[in-house]
Amino acid sequence: MVMMKLFRRQKKEEKLEDYEREAVETIEAAKKVEGALKGKIGRKKGLLRKKPLFEPYSEEKVGPLLEYEPEEGWEVIDEYWIQKPYSKVVIVQNEELDEQRYIVVEPELTAYETEVLNELRDALRDILEERDVESELREVVLKDVVDYLIKDMKIDIDIKSYYKILYYIIRDFIYYDKISVLMMDKMLEDISCNGYNSPIFVFHRNYANIETNISFESDELDSFVIKLAQQCGKHISIAEPMVDASMPDGSRIQMTLGREVTDHGSTFTIRKFRDVPITPIDLIAWKTFSSEQMAYLWLCIENKKNLIFAGGTASGKTTSTNAAALFIPRRAKIVTIEDTRELTLPHENWIPAVTRDTFQGEEGSIDMYDLLRAALRQRPEYIIVGEVRGREALTLFQAMSTGHTTYSTLHADSVEGVIHRLENPPINVPRPMIEALDIISIQAQVFIGKKRARRNVEIAEIVGLDPHTKMLRTTTVFKWDSVKDEQIMIGSSKALEEIRLVRGWSRKELEEELERRKAVLEFMVEHGIRDYREVANVIHAYQSKPEKVLEKMEIKGGDYAVQGS
């Protein structure tokens, strides 16, 4: 290894030109076959001009890349692969401490393999810096350049070491370094780093907040936060030590640098973006909402009733907003306004708008108020605002009053809390304008036994302004029974009565329509129709030709029971 260092020192300048030329040729070769690969990057015979350095990895021939044994007093209670055979997650538990931990298991490198990895990293930084390669080609290009370097530098490694080293190079150069496994784990919702030498915590769908075996030292964490900001197209520095941004995969991230605003050092919190949006069917299956509540929301949204989803942090407000938006008619024009992109809709007539920040001293920032004013000139039928927290709320309620249907989220844990926040600074919506809001849905994180879950705890409607007391009158339509874990309809609905009158239905016809929609939703739950595009297709098909959907699902006209198989 000393000879390798000496070789690199003596030959670096002359060899760097060779490496760079070879890298450029490799990149160009990969670009030429991009069309043939059709977006699915993999090494296929005849497509790339270089022969692979080693044959594909086979556990039968090479042996496993991972080994893990829990510490004394800890036992494995769950495990699953992230990138088989390179990385996996193991959940361990210590009954005596009543504690669980999230263990990231990756290949363990020997001292020699670590030295080779560092040598290759240094060479790759020189070669690949400023190289513009399509994102879907980076992995294949990186592998080709690594193969070239290993051959040219005459590095002696076996196939097992090669694949272990290649895993770390791809992880660090293309993905998210130490937190790559966390970013790839679909069971995680949040990732939190609280400072120097502090373990990262994650929010797991099955185990709630849980400590991991990953941490960063001070210089390492500062560099990593700066790198994350750059990947998000943002700037972070001691002068501007706090940044909110969207990551390349759509996740929301909040970062701080150094000890300027956080005593324990640099921090970051990532709220992960879901590849597949949540649907109303998911929310019913998880018992967040009942099928009766969803049928009610379906009818109200289709008939342009205004709605706010309220709740505490991580109560599922945005998730429910996205799911309920599937009830918007297919051809309706929609404008969404967010700080960071979280909403995903299957509608084609949709304009997603996002705010824009600027660097210190520059002009040209665009906030939610600016976007909302612009949206009103675009003649949308539905406006969805990610969260109201300031002056944009007044414009939103003005839009409600002028016939635009609007949905938004708000931080508040009760109906009274919603009204109080809307009426008082910094939002300051006049009380008569709040009358334009039809429905308030309150969500919360609750405990079902020992497990944490999300539930819609109340759906209420604003009935009107009392002419004598000038107080807003509300009525609760649905309430969550915490003992039985059930959603119960406890009051009459002004919104449904208005829909009945506009549609010219009798009360019996209204009840039958709600039952039909409830049966359609329950059919999708029972038959596992959960993909958001499939769910949207069923909903939109029902809106245009309900009789065909009912006939296909064999939903009878008498009791509306699901008869399909």
Side-chain angles (χ1 to χ4, degrees):
M1 193 50 64
V2 173
M3 289 300 295
M4 185 189 298
K5 288 183 176 179
L6 184 60
F7 167 83
R8 188 165 184 271
R9 261 199 316 269
Q10 291 173 339
K11 299 293 184 179
K12 181 175 180 180
E13 289 186 4
E14 56 195 67
K15 279 295 180 186
L16 189 54
E17 293 181 3
D18 293 337
Y19 296 160
E20 193 160 331
R21 184 179 62 254
E22 182 73 16
V24 171
E25 291 172 1
T26 302
I27 290 167
E28 292 305 316
K31 286 182 177 180
K32 286 178 183 177
V33 300
E34 181 181 8
L37 293 171
K38 294 181 180 177
K40 187 177 181 180
I41 300 305
R43 185 175 294 281
K44 298 185 178 181
K45 188 175 180 181
L47 286 179
L48 297 179
R49 69 188 172 81
K50 289 291 182 184
K51 184 180 178 182
L53 190 62
F54 289 101
E55 63 183 22
Y57 169 80
S58 168
E59 186 172 335
E60 290 75 20
K61 293 181 181 179
V62 180
L65 298 178
L66 302 182
E67 292 181 5
Y68 175 74
E69 283 293 330
E71 297 176 14
E72 187 176 348
W74 296 82
E75 62 173 338
V76 176
I77 59 172
D78 193 7
E79 60 181 306
Y80 50 91
W81 288 99
I82 300 297
Q83 281 184 295
K84 192 174 182 178
Y86 302 104
S87 60
K88 70 190 302 186
V89 167
V90 177
I91 309 295
V92 296
Q93 179 173 280
N94 187 312
E95 289 191 2
E96 187 176 334
L97 299 175
D98 190 24
E99 189 176 340
Q100 295 170 340
R101 285 183 186 165
Y102 177 104
I103 307 297
V104 173
V105 183
E106 296 177 298
E108 189 172 337
L109 299 178
T110 64
Y112 177 77
E113 289 166 345
T114 302
E115 190 71 27
V116 171
L117 175 61
N118 291 334
E119 287 289 320
L120 291 172
R121 273 181 181 151
D122 290 343
L124 283 165
R125 285 192 185 98
D126 293 333
I127 293 168
L128 297 179
E129 192 176 25
E130 304 299 329
R131 290 290 167 207
D132 183 20
V133 185
E134 286 84 349
S135 58
E136 64 268 29
L137 288 171
R138 286 176 186 159
E139 193 165 325
V140 73
V141 168
L142 192 58
K143 186 178 186 303
D144 278 351
V145 176
V146 168
D147 286 359
Y148 174 78
L149 288 171
I150 290 172
K151 287 176 67 176
D152 198 72
M153 296 170 72
K154 296 180 174 58
I155 298 175
D156 182 23
I157 56 173
D158 60 22
I159 185 171
K160 188 171 184 178
S161 295
Y162 169 78
Y163 278 105
K164 288 162 69 175
I165 291 167
L166 184 64
Y167 165 76
Y168 282 105
I169 287 174
I170 291 173
R171 185 199 77 170
D172 297 349
F173 276 83
I174 296 179
Y175 297 107
Y176 297 98
D177 207 284
K178 280 186 175 183
I179 67 167
S180 296
V181 170
L182 308 183
M183 292 298 294
M184 293 177 187
D185 188 351
K186 297 184 186 301
M187 296 301 293
L188 301 186
E189 295 184 9
D190 294 343
I191 302 168
S192 300
C193 176
N194 302 322
Y196 304 141
N197 302 306
S198 176
I200 288 179
F201 280 79
V202 295
F203 187 93
H204 194 285
R205 297 187 197 284
N206 295 336
Y207 303 100
N209 286 304
I210 184 169
E211 179 184 319
T212 74
N213 61 330
I214 300 174
S215 63
F216 289 89
E217 295 179 359
S218 57
D219 291 343
E220 183 186 22
L221 182 55
D222 290 345
S223 298
F224 184 64
V225 166
I226 292 169
K227 179 182 172 183
L228 281 177
Q230 290 170 345
Q231 285 179 310
C232 300
K234 296 282 187 174
H235 170 76
I236 191 167
S237 64
I238 298 302
E240 296 179 61
M242 192 159 59
V243 167
D244 292 320
S246 288
M247 300 181 73
D249 72 341
S251 298
R252 179 190 289 180
I253 183 169
Q254 196 281 332
M255 297 169 275
T256 65
L257 181 64
R259 300 181 187 271
E260 300 302 308
V261 290
T262 45
D263 284 346
H264 293 168
S266 298
T267 68
F268 61 84
T269 301
I270 299 170
R271 297 187 64 180
K272 288 185 62 185
F273 175 80
R274 291 183 66 98
D275 294 335
V276 181
I278 299 299
T279 69
I281 309 308
D282 293 315
L283 297 180
I284 295 170
W286 298 336
K287 299 183 73 174
T288 304
F289 288 80
S290 67
S291 57
E292 189 177 16
Q293 285 177 314
M294 275 299 174
Y296 161 85
L297 290 176
W298 183 358
L299 194 58
C300 289
I301 289 169
E302 188 179 309
N303 287 274
K304 299 190 172 183
K305 296 300 179 183
N306 299 302
L307 171 62
I308 280 182
F309 287 96
T313 301
S315 60
K317 303 182 296 296
T318 303
T319 297
S320 295
T321 304
N322 202 136
L326 296 187
F327 294 134
I328 297 174
R330 185 186 294 273
R331 299 300 176 193
K333 183 170 183 179
I334 307 167
V335 176
T336 59
I337 298 170
E338 303 173 87
D339 283 327
T340 53
R341 273 289 308 280
E342 290 184 284
L343 298 172
T344 302
L345 307 181
H347 300 73
E348 293 180 3
N349 195 7
W350 166 42
I351 300 174
V354 183
T355 59
R356 184 182 74 178
D357 295 328
T358 59
F359 294 142
Q360 191 174 12
E362 293 183 358
E363 295 182 356
S365 65
I366 299 172
D367 61 16
M368 297 185 82
Y369 174 70
D370 299 322
L371 291 175
L372 189 52
R373 283 196 309 164
L376 295 177
R377 301 189 189 103
Q378 294 164 342
R379 295 189 64 190
E381 294 174 70
Y382 292 83
I383 301 174
I384 305 176
V385 178
E387 182 184 347
V388 288
R389 59 174 78 90
R391 59 177 182 158
E392 71 278 356
L394 183 57
T395 307
L396 186 73
F397 276 84
Q398 287 172 338
M400 286 186 201
S401 303
T402 54
H404 297 84
T405 307
T406 68
Y407 306 120
S408 187
T409 66
L410 187 76
H411 277 275
D413 57 6
S414 65
V415 175
E416 295 75 18
V418 170
I419 294 171
H420 179 77
R421 279 211 64 197
L422 290 174
E423 285 187 323
N424 289 280
I427 298 179
N428 291 324
V429 177
R431 187 172 293 178
M433 291 185 72
I434 299 177
E435 270 192 286
L437 177 62
D438 297 298
I439 303 165
I440 300 172
S441 172
I442 306 296
Q443 293 191 211
Q445 281 199 39
V446 299
F447 281 95
I448 308 298
K450 291 186 177 181
K451 282 197 170 184
R452 196 178 299 188
R454 292 181 174 94
R455 291 291 183 267
N456 177 269
V457 295
E458 183 179 359
I459 293 180
E461 294 180 356
I462 293 181
V463 177
L465 197 64
D466 189 294
H468 303 294
T469 63
K470 304 300 180 185
M471 297 294 290
L472 281 168
R473 291 185 290 119
T474 63
T475 180
T476 299
V477 182
F478 292 94
K479 192 81 173 176
W480 178 60
D481 185 329
S482 59
V483 177
K484 297 179 180 178
D485 189 22
E486 292 178 355
Q487 312 284 355
I488 302 170
M489 189 171 189
I490 63 171
S492 59
S493 168
K494 174 195 171 190
L496 290 180
E497 182 63 16
E498 290 173 348
I499 292 168
R500 183 186 73 80
L501 294 173
V502 170
R503 300 290 285 265
W505 292 336
S506 66
R507 284 189 170 81
K508 182 180 179 183
E509 286 173 322
L510 173 65
E511 291 170 5
E512 288 175 348
E513 181 59 30
L514 285 168
E515 285 296 319
R516 282 193 288 272
R517 293 176 187 237
K518 178 182 172 184
V520 169
L521 294 168
E522 289 175 351
F523 179 94
M524 288 192 278
V525 172
E526 291 177 19
H527 291 76
I529 302 172
R530 305 277 280 267
D531 179 78
Y532 89 108
R533 292 196 179 275
E534 290 182 25
V535 172
N537 287 339
V538 172
I539 290 168
H540 296 150
Y542 183 89
Q543 289 168 340
S544 57
K545 294 182 179 178
E547 64 285 346
K548 284 194 174 182
V549 174
L550 297 173
E551 182 182 349
K552 190 173 181 180
M553 293 182 175
E554 298 182 19
I555 296 174
K556 303 297 183 181
D559 57 6
Y560 305 103
V562 177
Q563 304 294 333
S565 58

